[in-house]
Amino acid sequence: MNYALFDDSGKFLAGRVMSEADSSIQVELDSGKRVKVKASHVLLRFDKPLPAELIAQGQALAGEIDLDLAWEFASEGEFGFADLARDYFDKSAGPVQQAAALFRLFDAPHYFRRMAKGVFRKAPEETVKAALLGIERKRLQALQIQEWARELVAGQTPQPIRDQLYKILFRPDKNAAEYKAVVEASKQAQRSPLDLLKAAGAISSPYQFHWRRFLFEELGKGTGFPPLEAPAIKDDLPRADVAAFSIDDSQTTEIDDALSVRGLGSGTVVFGVHIAAPGLAILPDSAIDKVARDRLSTVYMPGWKITMLPDSIVEKYTLAEGRDCPALSLYVTFDEATLEIKSSETKLELVPIVANLRHDKLDAFVTEASLLGEAPADYPFATELAFTFRLARHLKALREIVRGKPENFNRPDYNFRLETADGTSPTTEPKGDEKVTISERRRGAPLDLIVSEAMILANSTWGGWIAEMGVPGIYRSQASLAPGVKVRMGVRPAPHAGMGVAQYTWATSPLRRYVDLVNQWQIIACVRNGRMAPLSAHFKPKDATLFSIISGFDTAYAAYNGFQTGIERFWTLRWLQQNEVTELDAAVLKDGLVRADTLPLVFKAAGCDGLARGTHVRVRVDGVDLLTLDLHARLIAKLDDETTDAGATSEEADDVEEVSAGPLTLAIDVNEETPPAEGAATPA
């Protein structure tokens, strides 16, 4: 009987030869299937044993061939597998021995290079040694993976995995042994990676998990600063004839802005917006600038913050009360009766800061009624605040005309306060076991409105002014209020539909946002040099550095805001646990998402999928997971008829999508195949 062994795209098959032509043969396989095989692919002709037996016996014998010995026996030039079989076994090596040699040679490319069908050449000795070292490393790695996986399943975390926890979960090297061990252990234990690692003690504190993850992803160099000395401001600045006051929370140390009012009762009022001026001392490309550009923004979170600049630098330039502080001042002159703008002027000067007013101490007293004269106004700067409130409402109304619709402040802001066991606020990084208090603060409250409108006025005015001077800056714009149209940053002035202004910069928070510091340098150049500013400004038109700053800032700012949202969600869920809340009232958004009435919390509630937007519901809290930031809830009652909220703004819709995009996403994939290391033992 005439049989043939042939190569079918790297797979060896054998069968009975049925017919032959000049360049091909027809072979019948054991399955009965007949295939046409090129003559050049036929490697071995034999009469016995049967094809299936030849392959089985050849594979078994191939495993017994010592590769080192075969490599020694092989000739230095090109050779066929039959030649090696005769050299390795004996001169009369039959079909089984020849097939064994073929299989062994084919499966050992680190020893023998494939030159043609059935033709090989021995690899150089140094190549073989390097390959063998690699195989041994992979074999040992495979054993290490199995050992680490065994420990994880048993409830223990090997130190190398503990050290790379966040890298494994969020930025993994999928070829690393640590990653493969977690995947393997998850499969063996049939548990999610988070559950597995938590049970193994790798994650002991959900808060620390979220905090350390953020540091790993965004602040790999740590939160500290190198030794830096705040340079003195050398400018000989005139002292402003104002009594300025700031409005911030008590926790605020980076006091960037203050206000002043002059001329009340005279018919012409000069409204001053005074911004801390670190740009007078911190120079581009200096050591402090490099620190600020690396951090890009202050990071806020309940009970703590990571500042953009060291405290010692902030203290030097912050607008602290009782000091004459270097400031960049915008003075806008208004007709006191009509509030029509008559002129504006920008100055560099020393501004006397008379007081640092604090929201948390004044919000309850500085009410709309007191500012309008309908209730007593027994607080500092009552007259000035009354005017600025009137001005703020006027400026807001003008912007809303441009917007085409009012700004809606339907949802409140929330304040988080943490308390340690002794009832005081944390003075170090929170641990996650503090008591949390959450209080509402209505958006658009009088003091908020005064400050926000003053900053919008300054940012839009300065944005237009530097453009008029021919100096580039960093702008924020929004083409329209249509759904999905996002705010973008660029170097050219453009309308901001959301704000309702012709152009808008960020220049009022130079101690806590890097783009504000950049814009301040440009504004300072305009103050100092007027129409010659384009020649002296640090950033020239079409400067590629500005685009680089925008790109880096956009990425960092989004990450910082995402972390703040996530950690506020953690403390909100913690508040539910601490107060043993079992039911919540909420409003339906979409796709089963609901928003809690009195908490900053958007979550899925089973049973709400088919309800219209705006439907008021009560849900039962079935569980809270502080690690995944999940809230498990289900509908227990509809509190009113379904009413579609057609007035939701595009900003609110975008907010819903961002908040509900998923509490925690891992980069580890336990369903992905992770091939075993070469040389590793595989289960039978």
Side-chain angles (χ1 to χ4, degrees):
M1 191 71 69
N2 186 10
Y3 301 115
L5 174 71
F6 60 93
D7 180 351
D8 181 25
S9 300
K11 182 179 180 182
F12 297 112
L13 302 176
R16 183 163 63 95
V17 177
M18 303 299 295
S19 63
E20 296 189 47
D22 291 341
S23 60
S24 65
I25 63 174
Q26 188 178 58
V27 178
E28 182 182 59
L29 303 177
D30 284 349
S31 63
K33 180 181 178 180
R34 296 187 178 186
V35 294
K36 185 178 180 181
V37 180
K38 291 182 179 180
S40 59
H41 289 195
V42 176
L43 301 173
L44 181 64
R45 295 290 194 109
F46 60 97
D47 295 324
K48 60 181 180 179
L50 293 174
E53 293 176 0
L54 175 87
I55 289 178
Q57 293 174 17
Q59 288 175 339
L61 183 58
E64 299 176 9
I65 294 177
D66 186 315
L67 286 172
D68 290 319
L69 190 59
W71 187 86
E72 291 288 346
F73 277 129
S75 62
E76 295 300 324
E78 294 182 2
F79 59 88
F81 63 91
D83 298 327
L84 180 70
R86 285 187 284 270
D87 289 339
Y88 186 86
F89 293 106
D90 57 54
K91 293 182 179 180
S92 61
V96 172
Q97 287 82 8
Q98 291 181 37
L102 173 64
F103 298 156
R104 191 59 164 156
L105 288 166
F106 192 85
D107 287 338
H110 46 291
Y111 276 92
F112 302 99
R113 294 173 176 173
R114 303 166 193 163
M115 308 304 293
K117 297 289 185 182
V119 179
F120 301 86
R121 187 181 190 124
K122 63 195 295 185
E125 184 176 0
E126 60 272 17
T127 301
V128 174
K129 289 180 178 179
L132 291 177
L133 287 174
I135 291 172
E136 178 62 11
R137 281 196 300 269
K138 290 180 180 180
R139 186 187 72 82
L140 294 176
Q141 183 190 70
L143 293 175
Q144 183 66 81
I145 290 169
Q146 292 299 323
E147 174 60 21
W148 284 343
R150 184 193 63 76
E151 291 182 42
L152 286 169
V153 173
Q156 298 176 338
T157 303
Q159 192 61 44
I161 291 177
R162 193 182 295 274
D163 293 341
Q164 295 195 34
L165 176 66
Y166 302 98
K167 181 177 180 180
I168 291 168
L169 293 176
F170 301 109
R171 288 184 185 171
D173 171 3
K174 296 188 177 182
N175 291 316
E178 293 83 358
Y179 175 86
K180 291 182 177 182
V182 173
V183 171
E184 178 62 26
S186 295
K187 291 178 178 178
Q188 290 181 15
Q190 296 186 333
R191 304 179 74 172
S192 72
L194 277 183
D195 285 343
L196 175 81
L197 291 164
K198 184 177 179 181
I203 303 171
S204 58
S205 163
Y207 181 84
Q208 287 298 315
F209 174 77
H210 297 299
W211 171 239
R212 297 298 168 189
R213 173 203 173 183
F214 171 72
L215 296 181
F216 166 77
E217 291 188 326
E218 304 300 332
L219 299 176
K221 298 178 183 177
T223 61
F225 296 100
L228 293 170
E229 185 174 343
I233 294 175
K234 299 178 181 179
D235 297 60
D236 185 15
L237 301 175
R239 189 175 189 270
D241 183 21
V242 299
F245 56 92
S246 66
I247 304 173
D248 293 281
D249 290 320
S250 290
Q251 293 81 16
T252 300
T253 55
E254 304 146 294
I255 304 175
D256 293 286
D257 55 86
L259 308 175
S260 67
V261 181
R262 289 182 296 174
L264 288 173
S266 69
T268 300
V269 176
V270 179
F271 178 56
V273 180
H274 311 282
I275 305 302
L280 289 172
I282 299 173
L283 301 179
D285 300 321
S286 65
I288 299 177
D289 172 44
K290 291 175 182 177
V291 166
R293 186 170 175 180
D294 185 59
R295 187 69 55 89
L296 288 167
S297 173
T298 290
V299 185
Y300 296 95
M301 67 202 82
W304 198 245
K305 66 180 177 181
I306 307 170
T307 57
M308 181 179 77
L309 292 168
D311 290 343
S312 60
I313 306 295
V314 170
E315 171 61 25
K316 183 78 172 182
Y317 310 116
T318 190
L319 301 183
E321 67 180 21
R323 296 197 323 209
D324 290 354
C325 299
L328 178 67
S329 297
L330 172 67
Y331 290 105
V332 183
T333 302
F334 291 92
D335 182 289
E336 189 171 7
T338 64
L339 297 180
E340 178 186 356
I341 295 178
K342 293 184 175 182
S343 64
S344 64
E345 183 181 16
T346 301
K347 295 182 178 181
L348 290 167
E349 55 189 3
L350 291 175
V351 175
I353 305 299
V354 178
N356 294 143
L357 306 182
R358 302 297 185 176
H359 279 293
D360 44 310
K361 296 180 180 178
L362 289 177
D363 272 343
F365 306 102
V366 185
T367 62
E368 184 172 328
S370 69
L371 290 167
L372 295 176
E374 299 167 358
D378 186 17
Y379 43 76
F381 298 95
T383 305
E384 289 85 352
L385 288 173
F387 172 79
T388 54
F389 181 61
R390 174 179 161 231
L391 176 61
R393 297 212 299 179
H394 173 73
L395 294 173
K396 180 174 182 287
L398 292 179
R399 292 191 303 101
E400 288 177 339
I401 292 173
V402 179
R403 287 181 95 249
K405 60 181 177 180
E407 287 181 318
N408 291 322
F409 296 124
N410 297 328
R411 302 198 309 274
D413 285 330
Y414 293 90
N415 292 324
F416 292 77
R417 183 174 184 274
L418 305 186
E419 290 183 6
T420 58
D422 60 4
T424 61
S425 297
T427 56
T428 57
E429 296 172 8
K431 297 179 180 178
D433 57 358
E434 292 83 359
K435 180 182 178 182
V436 58
T437 303
I438 303 175
S439 58
E440 282 190 20
R441 180 168 153 200
R442 300 304 304 179
R443 298 174 75 183
L447 289 178
D448 281 339
L449 183 65
I450 289 169
V451 173
S452 65
E453 289 300 327
M455 298 309 113
I456 293 171
L457 176 65
N459 285 320
S460 59
T461 301
W462 278 332
W465 186 51
I466 63 173
E468 181 185 338
M469 291 290 187
V471 173
I474 298 177
Y475 292 86
R476 293 175 65 79
S477 64
Q478 186 179 21
S480 76
L481 290 178
V485 178
K486 302 282 189 179
V487 174
R488 299 188 180 279
M489 300 185 77
V491 297
R492 296 180 181 274
H496 194 305
M499 291 288 184
V501 294
Q503 67 281 315
Y504 189 71
T505 61
W506 265 349
T508 54
S509 297
L511 291 173
R512 42 187 161 181
R513 278 194 309 240
Y514 187 68
V515 293
D516 297 60
L517 181 59
V518 169
N519 282 329
Q520 186 173 93
W521 285 325
Q522 303 298 85
I523 297 168
I524 289 172
C526 292
V527 176
R528 286 173 170 168
N529 302 288
R531 292 292 176 181
M532 301 300 290
L535 299 177
S536 59
H538 181 72
F539 300 101
K540 306 296 191 290
K542 299 182 181 180
D543 192 326
T545 306
L546 286 178
F547 295 99
S548 175
I549 291 170
I550 288 172
S551 176
F553 181 84
D554 263 343
T555 301
Y557 202 64
Y560 296 173
N561 284 339
F563 170 69
Q564 182 179 353
T565 299
I567 211 66
E568 286 181 355
R569 185 179 180 91
F570 168 89
W571 285 113
T572 304
L573 298 178
R574 188 89 176 93
W575 183 89
L576 293 178
Q577 288 183 332
Q578 290 176 350
N579 292 276
E580 300 180 349
V581 174
T582 58
E583 293 182 0
L584 288 171
D585 290 349
V588 174
L589 298 175
K590 63 177 183 178
D591 302 330
L593 286 170
V594 301
R595 187 191 301 279
D597 286 352
T598 58
L599 292 171
L601 196 59
V602 173
F603 56 96
K604 277 222 169 195
C608 293
D609 297 68
L611 300 181
R613 185 184 181 99
T615 304
H616 207 213
V617 297
R618 180 164 294 156
V619 300
R620 182 175 301 282
V621 177
D622 290 329
V624 164
D625 190 328
L626 295 179
L627 200 55
T628 62
L629 299 180
D630 274 328
L631 172 65
H632 305 290
R634 55 190 167 88
L635 175 68
I636 55 176
K638 285 198 300 180
L639 301 180
D640 56 17
D641 294 331
E642 295 183 8
T643 56
T644 302
D645 181 8
T649 66
S650 62
E651 298 100 312
E652 289 174 325
D654 291 340
D655 179 56
V656 169
E657 292 179 5
E658 290 171 4
V659 171
S660 62
L664 185 65
T665 303
L666 302 181
I668 188 170
D669 184 2
V670 297
N671 296 315
E672 187 176 62
E673 288 296 326
T674 52
E678 189 174 342
T682 55

